[in-house]
């Protein structure tokens, strides 16, 4: 069997190969690295819900802000997450490099998910990536929001957790009615019809803003 990393997507649009089974593919020769490339879907909940609680406790316990102000900043953080999710998905995950090394890296980051979208252990971000990014964004938020950072960051992290859980659900839960069914169909069209549109997963808001909804 050919090495799947050698089949990384070329810069031009390619016919979509999509596995419809809950199956996986080996990505790394090292057993150690391969082990940490697979994540149980409950990990984001375990790691980050306590962070959300702590970030909300800080401003409320110190009475720096009213509960309404904290709530508004929390919602701002969620909104910022939806924008960040869209930008990362569109411009980083779907960037199509021309070099062989770049294509292999792209396959590891996101291409493998498009080829094996129902791989249950590769649907949420590994902590080895998400934890450093969380510290990075907290530092950026400190520069932008100053003392308001905990409230906004709580919303960002909560948005991220919702994104990971919803992403897992769209691939593995029935979601047979209402807005849940609509979100499931919206994301699966990105996988099975056209992966150059429909970048929003937890929310299609920015697809409408930037006109990347499915034609």
């Amino acid at each position: 069997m050919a090495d799947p990393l050698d089949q990384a997507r070329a810069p031009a649009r390619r016919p979509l190969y999509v596995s419809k089974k809950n199956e996986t593919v080996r990505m790394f020769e090292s057993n150690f690295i391969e082990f940490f490339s697979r994540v149980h879907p409950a990990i984001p909940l375990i790691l980050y819900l306590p962070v959300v609680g702590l970030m909300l406790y800080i401003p409320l316990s110190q009475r720096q802000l009213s509960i309404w102000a904290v709530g508004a900043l929390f919602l701002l953080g969620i909104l910022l997450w939806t924008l960040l999710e869209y930008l990362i998905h569109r411009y980083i995950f779907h960037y199509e490099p021309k070099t062989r090394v770049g294509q292999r890296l792209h396959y590891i980051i996101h291409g493998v998910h498009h080829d094996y979208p129902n791989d249950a252990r590769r649907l949420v971000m590994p902590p080895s990536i998400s934890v450093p990014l969380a510290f990075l964004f907290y530092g950026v938020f400190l520069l932008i929001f100053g003392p308001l950072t905990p409230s906004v960051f709580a919303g960002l992290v909560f948005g991220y957790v919702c994104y990971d859980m919803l992403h897992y659900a769209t691939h593995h839960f029935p979601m047979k009615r209402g807005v849940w069914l609509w979100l499931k169909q919206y994301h699966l069209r990105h996988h099975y019809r056209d992966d150059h549109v429909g970048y929003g997963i937890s929310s299609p808001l920015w697809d409408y803003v930037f006109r990347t909804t499915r034609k």
Side-chain angles (χ1 to χ4, degrees):
M1 180 180 293
D3 182 351
L5 294 183
D6 291 336
Q7 300 172 356
R9 289 181 284 182
R13 291 193 181 192
R14 65 181 177 92
L16 290 176
Y17 165 74
V18 183
S19 167
K20 296 183 178 180
K21 301 177 182 178
N22 181 3
E23 59 183 348
T24 190
V25 64
R26 188 178 181 93
M27 292 200 302
F28 302 99
E29 291 184 5
S30 166
N31 291 332
F32 179 79
I33 299 176
E34 181 70 14
F35 174 80
F36 284 101
S37 74
R38 306 176 193 276
V39 184
H40 191 281
I43 293 299
L45 292 171
I46 296 169
L47 279 181
Y48 293 111
L49 285 184
V51 174
V52 174
L54 176 63
M55 292 294 105
L56 291 175
Y57 174 78
I58 290 173
L60 292 175
S61 65
Q62 297 176 355
R63 299 186 178 181
Q64 296 172 326
L65 300 168
S66 70
I67 190 171
W68 300 107
V70 171
L73 292 168
F74 181 80
L75 292 176
L76 173 62
I78 294 176
L79 181 64
L80 290 175
W81 165 256
T82 62
L83 176 59
L84 187 63
E85 171 195 312
Y86 175 90
L87 294 175
I88 291 175
H89 192 184
R90 181 178 180 181
Y91 294 108
I92 298 179
F93 288 177
H94 280 269
Y95 174 73
E96 295 179 339
K98 297 180 180 180
T99 66
R100 178 177 173 80
V101 172
Q103 289 173 3
R104 289 172 68 87
L105 182 61
H106 173 267
Y107 187 86
I108 291 170
I109 292 174
H110 194 62
V112 67
H113 173 57
H114 271 267
D115 285 353
Y116 298 89
N118 296 314
D119 184 349
R121 293 301 179 98
R122 287 196 172 119
L123 281 171
V124 301
M125 190 177 295
S128 57
I129 297 175
S130 66
V131 171
L133 285 176
F135 280 102
L136 172 64
F137 282 111
Y138 189 79
V140 172
F141 275 30
L142 279 175
L143 295 175
I144 298 173
F145 297 106
L148 305 179
T149 293
S151 302
V152 184
F153 189 69
L156 183 86
V157 175
F158 182 76
Y160 162 69
V161 172
C162 290
Y163 151 77
D164 258 351
M165 295 303 98
L166 185 59
H167 190 205
Y168 182 85
T170 57
H171 288 283
H172 287 283
F173 289 179
M175 301 173 75
K176 293 182 178 180
R177 58 179 60 88
V179 67
W180 304 114
L181 174 61
W182 186 81
L183 285 171
K184 181 182 181 75
Q185 293 174 335
Y186 189 85
H187 181 57
L188 293 185
R189 280 194 293 266
H190 173 77
H191 277 283
Y192 292 92
R193 297 288 181 85
D194 186 354
D195 64 355
H196 288 72
V197 294
Y199 297 105
I201 298 171
S202 62
S203 167
L205 169 64
W206 300 104
D207 279 313
Y208 286 100
V209 172
F210 296 113
R211 299 182 180 180
T212 52
T213 53
R214 180 168 175 259
K215 304 296 186 296

